[in-house]
Amino acid sequence: MSARILLVEDEPDVSELILVNLRHAGFVVNAVDDAEKAWKLLREERPEAVLLDWLLPGMSGFQLIRHMRADQRCREVPVIMLTARSAEVDKIAALEAGADDYVTKPFSPRELVARVKAVLRRRDAKSIEEGVELGGLRLMPHTRKALAGKTPIVLGPTEFRLLHFLMTHAERVHSRGQLLDYVWGGRLHIEERTVDVHIRRLRCVLEDHQLDAMVQTVRGIGYRFSTGPTDA
Ligand code: CA
């Protein structure tokens, strides 16, 4: 599976060089030349990693990463900073702002590709840790396996993501709009009814294992995952 990378770089030559090399390495790359465009894309497309130039016209790379780290939808997306400065103080500033790694220009394209693969591996390792077990259900996102007790259950990819989100944010009520944001990545053309359809499918699968009561409707608000009794 090829990971989607967002490249934010205002120098056309540098951008082209990175683009060619990442595509050659099998990545799907979206390139933009300023941070405002990047910020918009980040919320629409959910790239799996961002390569971010430090000095950009308008909003700087530094400001963009601070926005990202404050936003629940892109907080976890790994960022590699591209910086022409080699002073130690800037590397520290990049890491403190929330970058996962940095590369100093001029860099070798092979090194850059290796760094991208490394941040993606670290991210994957993290999602294994984020497996969740609650009320007799167990989800392992890395392998996409779900168990009801010891019995494997088959969930569609959307139902899997939906259940994973609900279980990792259990006992909290989420509106349909919030679920669209977090589970579907805030894609604007999806209607809120879509959430209801996937909740129904999810309950249908869980019903076979008498676990559907944990996916609860909270009237007038939305849905929650709870191991406690329903309100209604
Ligand atoms: Ca620049």
Side-chain angles (χ1 to χ4, degrees):
M1 195 175 67
S2 47
R4 282 164 298 124
I5 310 292
L6 175 62
L7 168 64
V8 194
E9 169 61 75
D10 62 313
E11 289 161 67
D13 294 352
V14 179
S15 181
E16 184 62 24
L17 176 72
I18 297 173
L19 201 62
V20 167
N21 280 281
L22 287 178
R23 284 186 179 153
H24 185 72
F27 294 107
V28 176
V29 190
N30 220 331
V32 293
D33 59 6
D34 73 44
E36 282 83 5
K37 286 176 203 151
W39 181 230
K40 191 164 173 283
L41 274 179
L42 267 166
R43 286 167 303 162
E44 286 169 2
E45 301 197 347
R46 297 205 152 197
E48 282 144 276
V50 178
L51 286 175
L52 180 59
D53 187 24
W54 180 266
L55 286 175
L56 291 163
M59 192 199 291
S60 69
F62 182 76
Q63 285 169 302
L64 178 64
I65 197 168
R66 295 188 60 162
H67 279 303
M68 286 178 67
R69 294 307 179 234
D71 187 297
Q72 194 150 9
R73 282 167 296 186
C74 44
R75 182 174 292 162
E76 305 287 329
V77 179
V79 176
I80 299 176
M81 279 283 200
L82 307 172
T83 170
R85 308 167 177 190
S86 55
E88 196 61 31
V89 63
D90 293 312
K91 294 174 185 171
I92 292 166
L95 295 174
E96 282 183 347
D100 298 86
D101 200 358
Y102 57 83
V103 175
T104 308
K105 295 176 193 171
F107 46 80
S108 96
R110 281 176 61 185
E111 183 192 353
L112 185 65
V113 168
R115 298 283 188 101
V116 171
K117 287 181 177 167
V119 295
L120 291 173
R121 269 199 305 275
R122 288 206 291 274
R123 181 208 56 172
D124 289 346
K126 208 167 149 194
S127 67
I128 300 172
E129 291 163 19
E130 285 165 6
V132 57
E133 187 164 11
L134 208 58
L137 267 177
R138 188 164 170 223
L139 293 191
M140 292 148 285
H142 189 63
T143 51
R144 299 200 70 85
K145 283 193 177 132
L147 295 173
K150 285 183 176 152
T151 314
I153 54 176
V154 180
L155 293 166
T158 304
E159 285 74 49
F160 192 98
R161 284 204 308 277
L162 179 60
L163 182 59
H164 183 256
F165 178 80
L166 289 171
M167 286 177 73
T168 50
H169 301 81
E171 309 299 336
R172 288 183 357 220
V173 186
H174 308 279
S175 70
R176 291 170 179 79
Q178 284 171 329
L179 291 172
L180 280 180
D181 271 357
Y182 298 129
V183 179
W184 280 262
R187 290 191 195 142
L188 299 172
H189 56 275
I190 297 177
E191 291 178 54
E192 295 199 344
R193 271 185 311 186
T194 305
V195 176
D196 303 330
V197 172
H198 289 281
I199 287 277
R200 244 187 336 265
R201 283 191 204 157
L202 178 57
R203 281 184 177 142
C204 202
V205 174
L206 296 179
E207 207 176 358
D208 297 341
H209 308 273
Q210 289 83 47
L211 294 171
D212 54 307
M214 291 190 290
V215 178
Q216 303 178 353
T217 303
V218 180
R219 200 182 298 232
I221 308 177
Y223 296 103
R224 77 169 164 216
F225 184 95
S226 173
T227 52
T230 45
D231 297 338

